[in-house]
């Protein structure tokens, strides 16, 4: 595996791309990063590597593409299984992790409703986002340090990219996620103390700056 060619097609603010970056960092895998700027246009390589959805992230391993972020993270965990396992060896625990990781995908649409909304639409958008976050906090995280227990794992990887967008949601929607979901925000801060995680994620303030400019250009402010 030492001489494997690993390329990641990604877009820096993507919470889905951040999943893959964190997984690669946790496994200490060296890779070539290729930015696909979704604002200015995709490269010809992206639709070639992902002809079905034409979306990032795409992991290209020895010339073979793997698409869809959770599929990619699980692939990484299987291929480089000797380092920092992300999924439990227990079938039930693996099934639970896959369930909650897939559930986190719902946050994308709810979060998008906030940063693309007019001020009159914020109230509904905030509730739509906070309800699944509260469910994740109560039903999946509880009092554990990480979603899988004592170790950083699959669900943590799935959700941590969204955590970097919390600042944007709060700034644009004028509300506090920490006030509503204190355990979840404490979890995010705990994850950020891991160098492999924090160095793999986009700057929350930079994300917010870009989205505020987007809103200004669309006349949403």
């Amino acid at each position: 595996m030492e001489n494997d060619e690993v390329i990641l097609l990604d877009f820096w603010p993507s919470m889905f791309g951040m999943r893959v970056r964190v997984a690669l960092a946790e496994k200490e895998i060296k890779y070539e990063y290729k930015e696909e700027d979704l604002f200015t246009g995709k490269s010809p390589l992206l639709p070639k590597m992902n002809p079905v959805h034409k979306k990032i992230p795409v992991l290209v391993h020895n010339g073979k593409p793997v698409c869809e972020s959770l599929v990619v993270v699980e692939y990484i965990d299987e291929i480089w299984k000797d380092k920092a396992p992300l999924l439990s060896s227990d079938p039930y625990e693996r099934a639970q992790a896959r369930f909650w990781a897939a559930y986190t995908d719902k946050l994308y649409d709810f979060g998008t409703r906030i940063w693309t909304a007019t001020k009159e639409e914020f109230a509904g958008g905030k509730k739509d986002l906070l309800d699944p976050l509260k469910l994740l906090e109560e039903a999946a995280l509880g009092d554990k340090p990480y979603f899988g227990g004592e170790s950083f794992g699959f669900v943590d990887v799935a959700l941590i990219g969204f955590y970097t967008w919390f600042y944007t949601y709060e700034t644009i929607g004028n509300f506090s996620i920490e006030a509503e979901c204190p355990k979840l925000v404490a979890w995010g801060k705990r994850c950020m103390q891991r160098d492999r995680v924090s160095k793999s994620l986009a700057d929350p303030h930079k994300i917010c700056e870009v989205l505020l400019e987007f809103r200004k250009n669309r006349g949403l402010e």
Side-chain angles (χ1 to χ4, degrees), residues 26 145-147 152-153 155-157 159-160 163 184-199 201:
E26 286 290 317
Y146 299 105
F147 280 91
F152 182 83
V155 183
D156 305 294
V157 172
L159 185 59
I160 193 59
Y163 176 77
L184 193 63
V185 171
W187 160 85
K189 292 177 180 177
R190 190 176 303 117
C191 291
M192 292 296 283
Q193 292 173 356
R194 301 173 64 88
D195 282 349
R196 291 172 185 170
V197 172
S198 58
K199 291 178 180 178
L201 302 178

Side-chain angles (χ1 to χ4, degrees), residues 108 111-117 165 168-169 172 211 214-215 220:
Y108 177 77
T112 300
R113 290 177 197 173
I114 291 177
W115 62 264
T116 60
W165 281 68
T168 295
Y169 302 147
I172 293 174
L211 270 297
F214 169 89
R215 290 179 55 77
L220 294 172

